[in-house]
Amino acid sequence: QVQLVESGGGLVQPGNSLRLSCAASGRSFVRNTVAWFRQAPGKERNFVAAINWGASNTRYADSVKGRFTISRVNANNTVSLQMNSLKPEDTAVYYCASRPSGYYDISNDKRLYSYWGQGTQVTVSA
């Protein structure tokens, strides 16, 4: 069992940056793919970014490519999401998720993820 806790959300103005963190406890997620998803009010939970357990592969939603960067430090059991040039449409609750996987896996399918955090709110507004 893996417990995930997100942190770093908040209110920012458009164009500014935030860095989200996801910390794992209970069991290491070293051999897990880790991803970020987000859910805006009244909308489905959508994929944002994923990273394989070796940190050699990453995947991003088209809407965040070039602005967001996912990274991980397995020694610390943490995964981060650096979000730059934030837009109002980035406003959502952001969730960290993980799943045991093969080395190269960077799935964007939320149905495949076993463990989820409670989410952290990101609001981008002037």
Side-chain angles (χ1 to χ4, degrees):
Q1 189 77 9
V2 176
Q3 289 83 43
L4 303 175
V5 178
E6 303 96 335
S7 60
L11 171 64
V12 293
Q13 293 186 337
N16 284 358
S17 300
L18 272 179
R19 186 177 182 87
L20 305 183
S21 292
C22 174
S25 62
R27 185 175 176 179
S28 170
F29 65 13
V30 170
R31 294 177 187 269
N32 281 228
T33 299
V34 181
W36 289 92
F37 293 82
R38 66 186 182 186
Q39 187 167 18
K43 295 189 176 181
E44 290 188 358
R45 190 172 298 188
N46 291 323
F47 172 77
V48 176
I51 188 167
N52 73 319
W53 54 267
S56 60
N57 288 355
T58 57
R59 170 184 271 179
Y60 296 94
D62 288 343
S63 58
V64 307
K65 276 181 185 176
R67 299 188 299 123
F68 291 11
T69 302
I70 189 171
S71 61
R72 67 190 294 167
V73 179
N74 286 335
N76 295 337
N77 268 347
T78 58
V79 171
S80 298
L81 184 68
Q82 178 67 41
M83 306 186 296
N84 298 331
S85 303
L86 283 162
K87 305 175 181 180
E89 51 264 43
D90 294 318
T91 295
V93 177
Y94 283 70
Y95 297 91
C96 176
S98 73
R99 70 185 206 99
S101 63
Y103 182 81
Y104 294 105
D105 181 79
I106 44 172
S107 175
N108 61 356
D109 186 346
K110 59 180 177 287
R111 298 170 298 178
L112 299 178
Y113 284 82
S114 309
Y115 306 108
W116 291 84
Q118 83 290 348
T120 185
Q121 177 70 46
V122 172
T123 303
V124 185
S125 175

